[in-house]
Amino acid sequence: MTQTFIRDTEVIETADRLPVLPLRDVVLFPHVAMPLLVGRAGSLAALEAAEAGDKLILLVTQRDSTVQDPAAADLYRVGTLGRVLQYTKLPNGAARVLVEGLARAHVTKFVAGAKLLRAVATPHPFVMTPDDGVADEARKAMALFEEYVTHHRRLPPEVAALVQAAAGVERQGCGIAAHLAVRHETRQTLLEAPRLVDLFRALTELTAGETELLRLERKIEDDVRGSLFQNQREFYLQEQLRAIHRELGDDEGDDLADLEAQLNARALPELARARADRELRRLRKMSPMSPEAAVARNYVEWLAALPWNERTDDMLDITRARTMLDEDHHGLDEVKERIVDYIAVLSLVGKLEGPILCLVGPPGVGKTSLGRSVARALGRKFVRMSLGGVRDEAEIRGHRRTYIGALPGRILQAMRRAESVNPVILLDEVDKLGSDWRGDPSAALLEVLDPEQNRAFNDHFLEIDYDLSQVLFLTTANSLGGIPEPLRDRMEIIRLPGYLDQEKFAIAQRHLIPRQFAQHGIDPASVTWATDALPALLRQYTREAGVRELERRIARLARKLARRRAEHPGEAAPRDAVAAADLHGLLGVAPYDPDEVTLEDRVGVAQGLAYTQVGGELLEVEVSVVPGRGRVMLTGTLGDVMKESASAALSYIRSRAEVLGVPPDFARTRDVHVHLPAGATPKDGPSAGIALAAAIVSALTGTPLRGDVAMTGEITLRGRVLPIGGLKEKAVAAHRSRVSHVIIPTANQRDLEELPEEVRTGVRFHCVKTMDEVLALALRALPVATPRKGRGSKADARGDAAIAPNVTH
């Protein structure tokens, strides 16, 4: 019984049982010729049988290519009827054969023989219908295949032309499938496609994906090749450049030799020198183009650039240092005394671990410029490092070398800029450090600012100990509230209060006016100041603890004078006169009224004292009492602590109503409204307690408070007056506002010695322990007690004894 296969117009008659040639990792398609290398005994027997007969053989792909002697279950059921075109035996017993695929065949049964495997196969042609759109699908697949061939490096461009020239769409489809570089399982799926249109659709999808992959591979290869070419080109050019330098005789020598010479010039500690030598040995073994070489080289350069034993000679002349400090800054005696003490001790012992000084004061009082002046007085290098807004702990300790672009922290960068081991380093705005998930910089500063630890400061980049014990660290802050307690404990706090008017007057004459006039091209000697001009400028155009706004006003005045001279260039040796009446024309409307702070006696208005980040301020407390139901209203953007102080003051007044002459039923028949002006400014703290109590008593009794008295102190429910902070700044503010008397807690009496001499002589301080003493001093007249029925004499006696002032002047 024979089977009839049709190939185009050719009719092929086959035997009932065809010899089977199992294929490994290969699928033969119809209309495609393929060379094969055959070495298995069964396969050779199948070829011998085909050669002995009609040269027809059935080629079927194995499911698993690792099976050496495949049986029926190991083979697919759809294969290709092929014809042996060439058959050549090789000396090693194998055979090389060229087989042409004729038609698809479906195996109905495999028959195992003694030497070879045979199969009963039936024709299995592709199904085609007139309306299935196979022509359109064939065009799509052919277009994608042409693009696939252009991107595939192993397929010559002629392949696409040969497939395109094939007669018939079936030959084209088989040609495309045979040349796709895909796995044999995917090829077998294409061979088993039931319809020709299904074959082309599968080819379209498969070719599109493979083309995209080839396009991506080509792009990656081109990028890599371009990078390698660029590196080779740079290396070649560098070598040529070195050769040119050698020929010209200006060769600078080996870079690594230069680095080693720099290290030899530095007296590195033993551990640092060992690390440097190790990195140099690694560098010599690396390629200069290696990324790791750049990291190692950067590390060695930092070791060579840091000062290890280089120091500047300290100027130990105390008189000269004091003179230089006075030349640069007016006042600030406490800081100057501390620096002079340091120089004196240094002159005796020769070497002294640098103190950690923290200058705390409002803006504009000269904290930052004082650091430069201290360095000049000592003859040391000066480096300023701003810490405002720093949030990353690595800013202080540096980054580890595993990170790209790693550098040491700011401390070692400052040491490199200083080029000495004993500079003056100013850590500016230490109270404005931040913290987030990257760490807390203030915690990293604990080691830097601890004299017991900073002799072995360890930076993450350097990874070896560095000695900071000879550095004089100065830190500045506007408030101690922003400095963590452990960091504050490591520093010596020196407070800088605001300047007095006399000090501002001297600073303006000695420093600000000459500097600003010189910057604007005006000779200071050519401008005459009236006696009332500068005081008017201070009081009407500035209200600050420092002198920054004053300097800006002087700069603006200098610009106006420069403009006036530029408009009249013909005058020889021009001279200008500045009087108080001229300030309005030069500086505009004065923002402050010198008579704004009134010192007249008023009912329900007390003068309190507040401490802010810009210095001390006079704080008015206004109280109004109206008929009502006993409500208490607190306005003026008050904080919780100040509201509690007002509540404590009211409770004290209610408990002392008889003695204070306050109507006993005021808590039920009167509404008390407490207001602190400048409502948009937040206010908080307990130090306004006695001012609140005095204003409420004055409003309830109708007794005026003295306008020339200011007060500060915390009040308790029993009427005790507790100590407060910021007395120096508050006292300066009282003196600036021309207040004659200031009431303070007795516990703050020891702070009076720290006040400037002008404040102590210009203001009279009254130290009190109880609220009764405060009222005796602040009220213009003592209120009349209102005794209860049956207890009048005792109440009167107790009240007189309580109100009698117990005052220390």
Side-chain angles (χ1 to χ4, degrees), residues 131-193:
D131 56 349
D132 57 4
V134 68
D136 295 335
E137 296 294 337
R139 281 194 296 272
K140 293 179 185 178
M142 194 63 220
L144 288 172
F145 180 68
E146 290 177 355
E147 185 179 1
Y148 174 81
V149 171
T150 59
H151 289 287
H152 203 293
R153 297 185 183 275
R154 297 183 180 179
L155 290 179
E158 294 81 5
V159 171
L162 292 175
V163 174
Q164 180 73 37
V169 292
E170 182 176 342
R171 287 177 177 267
Q172 290 180 349
C174 292
I176 295 174
H179 287 91
L180 289 179
V182 294
R183 294 178 57 84
H184 73 277
E185 293 91 346
T186 306
R187 290 171 178 266
Q188 183 66 31
T189 302
L190 296 174
L191 182 64
E192 294 178 359

Side-chain angles (χ1 to χ4, degrees), residues 154-293:
R154 297 183 180 179
L155 290 179
E158 294 81 5
V159 171
L162 292 175
V163 174
Q164 180 73 37
V169 292
E170 182 176 342
R171 287 177 177 267
Q172 290 180 349
C174 292
I176 295 174
H179 287 91
L180 289 179
V182 294
R183 294 178 57 84
H184 73 277
E185 293 91 346
T186 306
R187 290 171 178 266
Q188 183 66 31
T189 302
L190 296 174
L191 182 64
E192 294 178 359
R195 300 186 303 164
L196 190 59
V197 68
D198 296 333
L199 172 63
F200 279 109
R201 288 172 181 169
L203 288 174
T204 300
E205 181 179 354
L206 190 60
T207 308
E210 292 296 318
T211 303
E212 188 64 29
L213 287 177
L214 289 174
R215 186 183 295 114
L216 182 60
E217 290 178 1
R218 176 68 65 87
K219 181 178 182 301
I220 294 174
E221 288 182 10
D222 292 343
D223 292 344
V224 172
R225 185 181 296 106
S227 177
L228 291 175
F229 174 75
Q230 181 66 20
N231 291 338
Q232 293 171 353
R233 178 175 176 272
E234 290 178 359
F235 178 76
Y236 178 71
L237 292 176
Q238 289 288 349
E239 290 299 321
Q240 279 190 328
L241 188 60
R242 291 192 183 97
I244 292 172
H245 281 301
R246 284 194 296 269
E247 291 296 328
L248 293 175
D250 58 352
D251 182 22
E252 298 180 358
D254 185 15
D255 291 342
L256 296 183
D258 292 345
L259 268 180
E260 189 170 11
Q262 294 178 25
L263 291 172
N264 293 331
R266 299 277 191 182
L268 270 69
E270 182 179 352
L271 180 59
R273 183 61 201 229
R275 290 292 296 270
D277 291 340
R278 187 175 68 183
E279 293 296 329
L280 278 175
R281 287 193 298 269
R282 291 182 59 217
L283 269 173
R284 288 192 171 96
K285 297 176 183 178
M286 292 180 188
S287 168
M289 310 306 295
S290 170
E292 185 66 21

Side-chain angles (χ1 to χ4, degrees), residues 24-79:
R24 289 192 291 190
D25 296 332
V26 174
V27 176
L28 179 64
F29 286 88
H31 315 293
V32 176
M34 179 182 293
L36 298 172
L37 184 63
V38 181
R40 292 183 290 186
S43 300
L44 290 172
L47 286 173
E48 293 288 348
E51 278 291 312
D54 52 5
K55 295 184 180 293
L56 296 178
I57 191 170
L58 183 64
L59 297 98
V60 184
T61 303
Q62 292 181 205
R63 297 180 185 273
D64 185 0
S65 60
T66 60
V67 177
Q68 186 65 25
D69 295 318
D74 299 321
L75 301 173
Y76 288 104
R77 289 288 176 168
V78 177

Side-chain angles (χ1 to χ4, degrees), residues 406-424:
L407 285 174
R410 292 194 178 190
I411 299 297
L412 289 190
Q413 292 181 29
M415 296 300 296
R416 180 176 181 176
R417 294 198 303 271
E419 299 179 344
S420 70
V421 295
N422 62 335
V424 175

Side-chain angles (χ1 to χ4, degrees), residues 35 38 100 182 213 309 322 377 476-477 587-588 603-604 666 704 747 770 789:
V38 181
E100 179 188 13
V182 294
L213 287 177
N309 290 293
R322 184 64 195 233
T476 69
L587 301 179
V603 175
F666 83 92
T770 65
K789 187 178 292 185

